């Protein structure tokens, strides 16, 4: 896999991956057919995109901790800790990081190049094909599963950008601005406008629905599959308030994943699964190798070095309870600083090099439970909620399950995985931060989806490069 990553990166170095607005060189827009010239190149293209997802500017670090530090269950250890500007909400258009923006457009640009090139390949249905890794398949199946993965990666990246820079969908039914949608190879002088959040969600779902028809159902380590895509679709529908569709997607994902051996970790397996890559609960994880991980810029390093720790209230209310098996993911040093230990040493790799889990079976259960509760279906709510609640090692009292119950389990289950901020705001709930550093701005201690800083400012560099990019409200012109 590492060799494939290097080949792809070298291949695409011709096409530019800088931080400027779609800094495509002229030969990119003219000679994109040179990107993929043989069927085997398709997998190299997909692997190169997975490699981008490892970046410390994406799931390798910032995307993972952003959704925790901006909420109520995790805080910066001190004002100089990594991510402290997010935690304190002390960012503006002049100091805003360009990292999320540049990673997304690197992915969007390379996906456009890859798909345009793939369309020109001559694929023979049913013809035997040996993949670069030696697996026997057919040309059309190999082509389709890689195309499905590439589309899903683009959809995930656009979804993440939309929830970082656009207001929650249900706040105004997607009328606010998201980000520019890039689905084709454009020239270096292109100056697109920001699409609305609704337009972004429509584009995301278009990619994911096409991906579903193509992507592999089988498990390939470090690769997306149909069940992970259904996980993402169910999450997106929850964000949109489309609860019936969210429930259908989650149930289909659960049923299919189980057929391929995926399952919730048992009580005995749970404390050990974080150190065991590609276990049955993980639908998709980003692979880090000792030779290509973010290293000291990784989420594993920053958690282990106490840059981010549990808030006192969260630790006392949840992680300190000995009966809940999820207590096993919190570790402390001699100073009793509770940090997230979901990124431990793995099979000879340092915690700096651990894989990053993006989709888990537990989310499919909780997505289904949340959708069922909102639909008033207590039978299905219990069916999907109780297997997760069992991790508390306490008996459910038999009462009707509420949204608050589901969200409480989500906050415990996904602590340290970047969900909490988005889970609260997409449900129009307040973020109440009772345990904070004094440097946190007053208006960032208690807020809802009307607080302008729940979306990031467009970096000044981007608005300078593209005068058509409108700044988010509250951050000036």
């Amino acid at each position: 896999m590492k060799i494939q990553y290097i080949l792809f990166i070298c291949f695409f170095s011709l096409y530019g991956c800088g931080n400027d607005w779609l800094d495509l060189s002229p030969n990119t827009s003219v000679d994109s057919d040179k990107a993929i010239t043989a069927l085997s190149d398709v997998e190299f293209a997909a692997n190169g995109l997975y490699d981008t997802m490892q970046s410390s500017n994406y799931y390798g670090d910032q995307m993972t901790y952003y959704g925790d530090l901006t909420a109520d269950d995790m805080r910066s250890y001190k004002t100089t800790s990594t991510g402290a500007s997010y935690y304190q909400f002390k960012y503006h258009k002049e100091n805003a990081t360009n990292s999320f923006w540049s990673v997304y457009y690197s992915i969007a640009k390379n996906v456009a190049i890859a798909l345009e090139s793939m369309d020109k390949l001559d694929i023979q249905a049913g013809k035997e094909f040996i993949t670069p890794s030696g697996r026997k398949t057919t040309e059309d199946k190999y082509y389709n599963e890689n195309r499905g993965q590439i589309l899903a990666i683009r959809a995930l990246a656009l979804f993440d950008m939309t929830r970082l820079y656009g207001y929650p969908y249900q706040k105004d039914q997607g009328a606010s601005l998201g980000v520019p949608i890039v689905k084709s190879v454009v020239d270096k002088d292109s100056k697109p406008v920001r699409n609305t959040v609704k337009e972004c969600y429509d584009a995301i779902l278009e990619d994911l629905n096409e991906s579903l028809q193509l992507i592999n159902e089988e498990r390939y380590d470090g690769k997306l599959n149909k069940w992970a895509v259904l996980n993402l679709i169910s999450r997106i529908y929850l964000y949109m308030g489309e609860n019936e569709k969210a429930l259908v997607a989650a149930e289909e994902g659960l049923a299919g994943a189980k057929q391929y051996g995926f399952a919730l970790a048992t009580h005995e397996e749970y404390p050990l699964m974080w150190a065991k890559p590609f276990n049955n609960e993980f639908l998709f994880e980003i692979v880090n190798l000792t030779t290509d991980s973010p290293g000291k810029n990784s989420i594993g390093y920053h958690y282990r070095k106490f840059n981010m720790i549990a808030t006192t209230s969260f630790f006392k209310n949840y992680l300190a309870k000995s009966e809940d098996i999820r207590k096993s993911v919190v570790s402390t040093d001699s100073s009793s600083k509770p940090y997230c230990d979901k990124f431990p040493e793995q099979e000879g790799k340092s915690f700096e090099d651990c894989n990053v889990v993006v989709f888990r079976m537990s989310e499919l259960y909780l997505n289904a439970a949340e959708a069922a509760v909102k639909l008033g279906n207590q039978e299905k709510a219990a069916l999907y909620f109780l297997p997760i609640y069992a991790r508390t090692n306490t008996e459910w009292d038999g009462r009707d399950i509420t949204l608050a119950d589901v969200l409480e389990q989500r906050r415990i289950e996904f602590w340290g995985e970047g969900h909490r901020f988005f889970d609260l705001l997409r449900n129009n709930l307040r973020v109440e931060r009772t345990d904070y550093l004094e440097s946190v701005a007053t208006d960032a201690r208690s807020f809802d989806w009307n607080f302008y800083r729940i979306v990031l400012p467009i970096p000044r560099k981007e608005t300078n490069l593209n005068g058509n990019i409108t700044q988010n409200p509250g951050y000036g012109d």
Side-chain angles (χ1 to χ4, degrees), residues 252-269:
E252 184 181 350
L254 281 169
K258 289 175 182 178
Q259 292 181 0
Y260 283 87
F262 292 105
L264 284 178
T266 65
H267 283 28
E268 294 74 24
E269 292 169 339

Side-chain angles (χ1 to χ4, degrees), residues 369 373 378 381 385 396 399-408:
V373 164
Q378 279 294 314
F385 174 80
W396 184 247
R399 62 181 171 81
D400 280 357
I401 297 162
T402 66
L403 177 61
D405 294 324
V406 177
L407 293 180
E408 180 178 56

Side-chain angles (χ1 to χ4, degrees), residues 203-217:
I204 293 162
L205 289 170
E206 181 181 39
D207 273 353
L208 291 176
N209 286 326
E210 182 180 350
S211 174
L212 277 185
Q213 308 307 311
L214 303 171
I215 199 167
N216 45 288
E217 297 182 353

Side-chain angles (χ1 to χ4, degrees), residues 330-344:
V330 63
S331 295
T332 59
D333 71 348
S334 58
S335 301
S336 297
K337 293 178 287 191
Y339 68 88
C340 181
D341 201 21
K342 290 182 176 178
F343 306 93

Side-chain angles (χ1 to χ4, degrees), residues 104-105 108 111 115 148 150-162 169 174 178-184 194-212 229 232-233 236-237 240:
Y104 167 64
Y105 288 104
V111 168
L115 293 180
I150 288 170
L151 288 166
I153 291 170
R154 179 169 70 183
L156 176 58
L158 179 54
F159 171 64
D160 288 333
M161 282 287 285
T162 304
Y169 187 96
V179 296
I181 298 168
V182 178
K183 284 200 170 185
S184 60
R194 293 174 67 187
N195 292 90
T196 65
V197 168
K198 183 181 185 305
E199 289 169 337
C200 290
Y201 273 66
D202 288 346
I204 293 162
L205 289 170
E206 181 181 39
D207 273 353
L208 291 176
N209 286 326
E210 182 180 350
S211 174
L212 277 185
V229 170
L232 178 56
I233 290 174
I236 289 168
Y237 280 134
M240 298 176 70

Side-chain angles (χ1 to χ4, degrees), residues 288-345:
N288 281 320
L289 304 177
T290 57
T291 52
D292 69 355
S293 80
K296 288 182 170 55
N297 290 317
S298 68
I299 187 67
Y301 182 86
H302 287 145
Y303 278 159
R304 187 65 64 95
K305 294 301 180 181
F306 316 116
N307 282 270
M308 307 131 201
I309 61 175
T311 59
T312 300
S313 58
F314 184 72
F315 180 70
K316 288 182 176 179
N317 289 336
Y318 300 109
L319 301 182
K321 292 183 177 180
S322 60
E323 63 268 23
D324 194 316
I325 64 169
R326 291 166 294 190
K327 180 192 174 185
S328 62
V329 301
V330 63
S331 295
T332 59
D333 71 348
S334 58
S335 301
S336 297
K337 293 178 287 191
Y339 68 88
C340 181
D341 201 21
K342 290 182 176 178
F343 306 93
E345 296 87 350

Side-chain angles (χ1 to χ4, degrees), residues 120-411:
K120 299 174 183 178
L121 294 177
D122 181 20
I123 305 300
Q124 298 185 43
K127 183 178 179 181
E128 186 177 278
F129 181 76
I130 306 299
T131 72
S133 59
R135 176 170 58 90
K136 283 187 178 181
T137 184
T138 61
E139 286 191 355
D140 54 324
K141 186 175 188 301
Y142 179 75
Y143 175 93
N144 287 340
E145 65 190 19
N146 280 284
R147 186 182 183 90
Q149 290 172 35
I150 288 170
L151 288 166
I153 291 170
R154 179 169 70 183
L156 176 58
L158 179 54
F159 171 64
D160 288 333
M161 282 287 285
T162 304
R163 58 186 181 146
L164 288 169
Y165 291 96
Y167 282 95
Y169 187 96
Q170 295 185 74
K171 184 177 189 293
D172 54 11
Q173 294 306 299
S176 63
L177 293 178
V179 296
I181 298 168
V182 178
K183 284 200 170 185
S184 60
V185 178
V186 296
D187 65 50
K188 64 187 176 83
D189 296 320
S190 176
K191 306 290 184 183
V193 299
R194 293 174 67 187
N195 292 90
T196 65
V197 168
K198 183 181 185 305
E199 289 169 337
C200 290
Y201 273 66
D202 288 346
I204 293 162
L205 289 170
E206 181 181 39
D207 273 353
L208 291 176
N209 286 326
E210 182 180 350
S211 174
L212 277 185
Q213 308 307 311
L214 303 171
I215 199 167
N216 45 288
E217 297 182 353
E218 298 89 349
R219 309 170 57 164
Y220 301 143
D221 291 349
K223 303 291 183 70
L224 285 159
N225 53 59
K226 184 175 183 177
W227 323 119
V229 170
L230 283 164
N231 185 326
L232 178 56
I233 290 174
S234 69
R235 185 195 298 183
I236 289 168
Y237 280 134
L238 284 179
Y239 276 55
M240 298 176 70
E242 298 277 0
N243 298 309
E244 290 184 3
K245 293 179 180 179
L247 180 58
V248 169
E251 289 188 312
E252 184 181 350
L254 281 169
K258 289 175 182 178
Q259 292 181 0
Y260 283 87
F262 292 105
L264 284 178
T266 65
H267 283 28
E268 294 74 24
E269 292 169 339
Y270 183 90
L272 305 174
M273 73 177 184
W274 304 99
K276 183 181 178 182
F278 316 121
N279 63 70
N280 289 339
E281 179 156 327
F282 297 166
L283 292 171
F284 169 61
E285 58 195 278
I286 296 170
V287 178
N288 281 320
L289 304 177
T290 57
T291 52
D292 69 355
S293 80
K296 288 182 170 55
N297 290 317
S298 68
I299 187 67
Y301 182 86
H302 287 145
Y303 278 159
R304 187 65 64 95
K305 294 301 180 181
F306 316 116
N307 282 270
M308 307 131 201
I309 61 175
T311 59
T312 300
S313 58
F314 184 72
F315 180 70
K316 288 182 176 179
N317 289 336
Y318 300 109
L319 301 182
K321 292 183 177 180
S322 60
E323 63 268 23
D324 194 316
I325 64 169
R326 291 166 294 190
K327 180 192 174 185
S328 62
V329 301
V330 63
S331 295
T332 59
D333 71 348
S334 58
S335 301
S336 297
K337 293 178 287 191
Y339 68 88
C340 181
D341 201 21
K342 290 182 176 178
F343 306 93
E345 296 87 350
Q346 295 175 332
E347 299 181 349
K349 297 192 299 183
S350 165
F351 56 84
E352 298 176 11
D353 307 320
C354 63
N355 292 356
V356 178
V357 181
V358 180
F359 298 115
R360 292 201 277 136
M361 284 289 282
S362 57
E363 187 183 354
L364 281 173
Y365 276 90
L366 286 169
N367 287 356
E370 182 177 335
V373 164
K374 290 176 175 176
L375 292 168
N377 189 331
Q378 279 294 314
E379 181 180 357
K380 285 194 173 182
L383 177 65
Y384 299 117
F385 174 80
L386 294 179
I388 302 297
Y389 185 79
R391 290 180 165 173
T392 66
N393 274 317
T394 57
E395 291 292 328
W396 184 247
D397 59 15
R399 62 181 171 81
D400 280 357
I401 297 162
T402 66
L403 177 61
D405 294 324
V406 177
L407 293 180
E408 180 178 56
Q409 289 307 303
R410 288 187 74 96
R411 77 186 299 187

